[in-house]
Amino acid sequence: MRQTIPDSSAIKAAVQEHYGQAITRGSCCTTDTTTSTEVQIYGAETLARLPEGVVTTSFGCGNALALATLQPGEVVLDLGSGGGLEVILAAQQVGPDGFVYGLDMTDAMLETARRNAARVGATNVSFLKGDIEAIPLPDQSVDVIISNCVINLVPDKAQVLNDAFRVLRPGGRLAVSDIVFDGDLTAFPLPEATIRSALSWSSCFAGALTMDDYRNLLEAAGFTAVNLEVLHRYTVADLRNEGSEMLEGLPAELLPMLEGRVTSCAISARRPPCKDA
């Protein structure tokens, strides 16, 4: 398993600074303050039902909620909950008998999320501060874990998935949208470590796993029924549109080789129904 973990504290500090600033301007990668991404993911009708003044920016790359198929009464955890949009939508789906936790390490995100929840009047939610590698919840305490384009930002992904497995109840499920490389990077003319070091961690690509590595880490953590489905393949134009800082330091001749290799992926898995299964 190739998981080189660089300076974890430096990466976390960069990610915190990046997303703390991003929530104030409404976009993770540009200064565009529209909600076009959220409309595309969740639909205009869903967003229109939210009260005026709710910040809808999700910074996501897919619809983990649709993948999760939440049921009334379930307890849900959103890893990297940001401004709280997915938590609020999940709370509506699980109803008053369910509960949704949002976990984030960035104060500005948590402040926005709590403000949004208050505006919606959501009483079945709680936002926690912490790292997703050390989830501040008891063992086997949630039914479903969702996450939207966050795990790629964390240096130690194995620990994230191990702790996710720990807090899931037997039979619980994981539903994640994430940026993933389809195929490894060994065919590139530069070493993989050099390519990754030229990309920005806070802009989703430098820490992205390959599909094989994602599957291997999930299975090593104990998950079964692992499935990865490519929902979108990024063109070079897509990557440039996401913001030039994402490609900062990458030699121009390598850009065409990334065509279609960077993907938005829907990832699902389950904790086996029996503790010792």
Side-chain angles (χ1 to χ4, degrees):
M1 172 66 228
R2 305 183 311 276
Q3 198 197 6
T4 302
I5 302 173
D7 186 339
S8 177
S9 60
I11 290 169
K12 286 185 179 181
V15 169
Q16 274 187 304
E17 180 180 5
H18 181 90
Y19 285 93
Q21 294 175 358
I23 194 63
T24 66
R25 67 176 187 255
S27 172
C28 68
C29 306
T30 72
T31 56
D32 181 6
T33 57
T34 69
T35 59
S36 58
T37 300
E38 287 68 38
V39 170
Q40 184 178 6
I41 292 174
Y42 302 109
E45 183 178 347
T46 296
L47 297 180
R49 290 196 293 265
L50 296 175
E52 184 177 355
V54 170
V55 178
T56 58
T57 302
S58 73
F59 307 111
C61 59
N63 191 342
L65 284 174
L67 183 64
T69 58
L70 300 178
Q71 302 299 313
E74 289 187 315
V75 177
V76 182
L77 167 64
D78 183 5
L79 296 179
S81 50
L85 176 59
E86 285 86 0
V87 169
I88 290 168
L89 296 177
Q92 294 172 348
Q93 293 179 23
V94 300
D97 294 330
F99 199 86
V100 186
Y101 295 98
L103 176 60
D104 207 282
M105 67 176 183
T106 305
D107 288 329
M109 290 290 191
L110 291 166
E111 290 168 7
T112 300
R114 289 168 181 148
R115 195 161 56 243
N116 281 338
R119 287 192 174 117
V120 172
T123 58
N124 59 338
V125 304
S126 177
F127 291 97
L128 311 173
K129 183 175 181 178
D131 294 338
I132 65 174
E133 304 100 308
I135 300 167
L137 289 174
D139 295 356
Q140 301 182 22
S141 55
V142 301
D143 300 300
V144 187
I145 292 177
I146 61 173
S147 186
N148 196 346
C149 204
V150 171
I151 295 176
N152 67 79
L153 299 171
V154 179
D156 193 348
K157 296 168 183 62
Q159 180 56 35
V160 172
L161 298 176
N162 287 337
D163 218 41
F165 187 89
R166 175 186 66 81
V167 301
L168 274 176
R169 292 170 179 155
R173 59 197 188 277
L174 180 81
V176 170
S177 296
D178 215 350
I179 298 296
V180 182
F181 284 115
D182 185 6
D184 61 35
L185 303 178
T186 57
F188 283 58
L190 291 177
E192 179 175 343
T194 302
I195 295 170
R196 290 185 181 276
S197 68
L199 298 170
S200 167
W201 269 82
S202 60
S203 295
C204 306
F205 295 156
L209 292 170
T210 67
M211 294 183 74
D212 285 344
D213 285 348
Y214 224 126
R215 182 182 299 277
N216 291 340
L217 285 179
L218 283 164
E219 292 176 347
F223 286 99
T224 59
V226 175
N227 185 63
L228 291 90
E229 178 185 359
V230 173
L231 300 180
H232 177 70
R233 294 184 183 274
Y234 288 83
T235 65
V236 171
D238 288 335
L239 300 178
R240 288 193 172 116
N241 287 339
E242 291 292 336
S244 60
E245 66 190 67
M246 284 184 141
L247 308 175
E248 187 177 302
L250 190 68
E253 62 270 21
L254 291 186
L255 282 178
M257 299 185 70
L258 285 175
E259 183 93 26
R261 300 284 294 277
V262 181
T263 76
S264 170
C265 210
I267 302 152
S268 59
R270 283 185 176 269
R271 175 168 177 159
C274 297
K275 186 177 180 180
D276 57 354

